Amino acid sequence: MATKIIDGKKIAAEIRSEAKDEASELISKGVQPCLVVVLVGEDPASKAYVGSKVKACTETGIKSIKITHAADVSEAALMQEIDRLNADESVHGILVQLPLPKHMDEDAVTERIDPSKDVDGFHPENVGKLSIGIDCLTPCTPTGIPEMIVRSGIEMSGKHAVVIGRSNIVGKPMMSLLVQKGNKANCTVTCCHSGTKDLSYHTQQADILIAAIGVPEFVKANMVKPGATVIDVGINRVEDTSKAKGYKLVGDVDFADVEPVAGAITPVPGGVGPMTVAMLMKNTVKAARMITALS
Ligand code: NAD
């Protein structure tokens, strides 16, 4: 059977359209969901991410406020700003774009955000709730992955999912999501990381293989079980002089090598990437609903 190419752009558009409907329902009840995005410094990738989040809000009917600070802003000033946003009843989501400059403690900043407004799902309260299966705001990138799989008609329950990577942003929350009960989870979960011995042995057992490593084209065909669903979270810039920008984006999976072996696979770009912003829209609407106790 031909390999299914999982179309992240199409599924993200579906999810954004659902978020738009949910936002307009809240607006009809007198509440416009509002997301504040805080950008510190001039990092070009962070600026681009913030731009795409603000644009998505406009398209979804979510009010967005972008607050920018110079790279040398003090941590105390940023904390004060977060306190003000936490107290502002018209704000439902607060996102501080990471990474922060080196003089700031990212964990302390993350913990300062009111967990009910933590649309990135990184606050330890939300991390804890996710791990014990209490409904909460969960990290956007891993939360989008079961959506992509299930909406592509692929069963997840009972499957063996192998995650490569144990970051707090992708790998660990991915494990927590996959192990829960429910049709978008209920997997047997293995987590591999830089300390894993004989990585290929583990990845070859995967019905669902999720790569979040940050190494260009790391996963090769001989690491993949024939027919597996392969989800590539990686976004890596590699030099390409034939492109005007001088680089191209590739994933953590060698797409050309793996695609013939896989049953289904996400491309880069156009796979997991667009889902992250779509799930942020969903999370913002969810936060607005929870905070205002509207359903
Ligand atoms: P990270 O650097 O924090 O974590 C990488 C993980 O890979 C680590 O836990 C490490 O143990 C593991 N690893 C590294 N080398 C390994 C090896 N040789 N064998 C096995 N495991 C190994 O990265 P991250 O923040 O989790 O991001 C991973 C990738 O996903 C990056 O390419 C990043 O750009 C991308 N990303 C994409 C999105 C999106 O929206 N699509 C969001 C977040 C991250």
Side-chain angles (χ1 to χ4, degrees), residues 141 164-167 170 193-194 199 212-214 218 233-236 252 272-273 276:
T141 301
I164 318 176
R166 57 175 159 189
S167 71
V170 187
H193 44 73
S194 52
L199 180 67
I213 314 160
F218 179 92
V233 184
I235 303 177
N236 308 290
D252 291 346
V272 173
T276 299

Side-chain angles (χ1 to χ4, degrees), residues 6 145-154 156 208 229 231:
I6 298 177
I145 289 171
E147 292 292 337
M148 297 180 90
I149 297 173
V150 168
R151 288 174 193 243
S152 300
I154 299 164
M156 291 186 71
I208 298 169
T229 297
I231 306 292

Side-chain angles (χ1 to χ4, degrees), residues 107 120-122 127 139 142 165-174:
D107 290 343
D120 257 340
F122 296 157
V127 175
R166 57 175 159 189
S167 71
N168 292 340
I169 295 175
V170 187
K172 285 196 196 113
M174 190 73 255

